[in-house]
Amino acid sequence: KAGVTQTPRYLIKTRGQQVTLSCSPISGHRSVSWYQQTPGQGLQFLFEYFSETQRNKGNFPGRFSGRQFSNSRSEMNVSTLELGDSALYLCASSLEAAAGELFFGEGSRLTVL
Amino acid sequence: QKEVEQDPGPLSVPEGAIVSLNCTYSNSAFQYFMWYRQYSRKGPELLMYTYSSGNKEDGRFTAQVDKSSKYISLFIRDSQPSDSATYLCAPQTGANNLFFGTGTRLTVIP
């Protein structure tokens, strides 16, 4: 069974640009969550989607957005990039919403110059 | 006050040592207490979890929860170099997966 797939794995952007990250969950998983991981703050929750609906949202500015498609694949977008957005962005899927074991992808490492 | 506080480490121990990793939390609604392990350049993976207070053992790993003091521990016996990773505690209410500790980086020296 394929795991959670995130693309791209690495990317470099400059301040002011925008970026879109993609996540394909494990087959059959309907919940997708996104996290930002930095050395200082650790793993911080961005948002969770279940059946194409955003269920929960973390304390991030509106520049961070996401969506989920009918096949459960998800994308997150960050607009007007800032240096502080440099981080590892992790996607996790689970069978049901906000419960049980999270299965993480390997992440997309974003560097903002 | 953050929802979850975790000893940041880093922690370096010799092979065979007993390791203690700890977290405290503030939300009394937490019912599930999960530990994730994250190897370098990988995503976290669930190591084990407990429900409510008490101990749970899985091989060399023991998870312990004291809800009265809001204290979570993970013990690793006979630590191995393959245990070298970052360990994240993640208490949950069961209604969301919002909170993770900042992680403790463990290095087991052969």
Side-chain angles (χ1 to χ4, degrees):
Chain A
K1 196 175 195 182
V4 177
T5 304
Q6 291 189 246
T7 56
R9 290 291 313 281
Y10 302 91
L11 65 167
I12 300 173
K13 294 284 186 179
T14 56
R15 279 181 299 174
Q17 287 187 310
Q18 74 163 9
V19 66
T20 299
L21 309 177
S22 180
C23 172
S24 293
I26 291 173
S27 178
H29 285 195
R30 295 191 295 164
S31 174
V32 173
S33 301
W34 288 90
Y35 297 82
Q36 181 195 66
Q37 188 174 35
T38 58
Q41 298 297 317
L43 211 61
Q44 292 187 284
F45 174 78
L46 281 158
F47 23 66
E48 181 201 5
Y49 288 89
F50 180 78
S51 293
E52 301 179 67
T53 301
Q54 187 179 87
R55 280 193 78 250
N56 282 300
K57 189 177 191 303
N59 190 26
F60 278 81
R63 300 184 297 106
F64 292 81
S65 63
R67 59 178 175 168
Q68 186 180 33
F69 302 95
S70 58
N71 61 359
S72 294
R73 193 177 69 85
S74 178
E75 288 181 348
M76 68 162 281
N77 184 77
V78 188
S79 62
T80 320
L81 284 166
E82 301 176 359
L83 295 179
D85 297 332
S86 294
L88 181 66
Y89 290 88
L90 289 160
C91 167
S93 74
S94 60
L95 272 171
E96 296 298 331
E101 180 178 358
L102 292 174
F103 294 83
F104 284 87
E106 295 191 328
S108 293
R109 184 164 296 280
L110 170 65
T111 301
V112 182
L113 302 175
Chain B
Q1 184 184 10
K2 294 182 77 171
E3 295 278 354
V4 187
E5 300 276 2
Q6 183 170 4
D7 293 343
L11 192 58
S12 185
V13 301
E15 182 175 352
I18 296 174
V19 176
S20 173
L21 305 168
N22 307 295
C23 292
T24 58
Y25 64 93
S26 58
N27 189 343
S28 298
F30 289 145
Q31 294 288 337
Y32 299 87
F33 302 89
M34 299 178 164
W35 283 94
Y36 284 80
R37 177 175 61 192
Q38 184 175 19
Y39 290 112
S40 181
R41 301 186 183 280
K42 298 289 187 181
E45 58 179 356
L46 182 66
L47 182 61
M48 60 190 302
Y49 76 94
T50 58
Y51 173 71
S52 194
S53 280
N55 293 356
K56 183 176 182 179
E57 189 174 314
D58 184 0
R60 297 183 294 108
F61 298 86
T62 299
Q64 190 174 80
V65 177
D66 182 346
K67 292 190 73 177
S68 63
S69 59
K70 297 187 175 66
Y71 199 80
I72 313 166
S73 297
L74 177 71
F75 298 97
I76 308 174
R77 293 187 305 278
D78 187 25
S79 55
Q80 302 294 309
S82 59
D83 296 329
S84 297
T86 297
Y87 291 81
L88 302 129
C89 62
Q92 311 296 347
T93 65
N96 57 59
N97 282 306
L98 305 182
F99 305 108
F100 283 80
T102 51
T104 301
R105 178 178 290 181
L106 170 67
T107 301
V108 180
I109 304 167

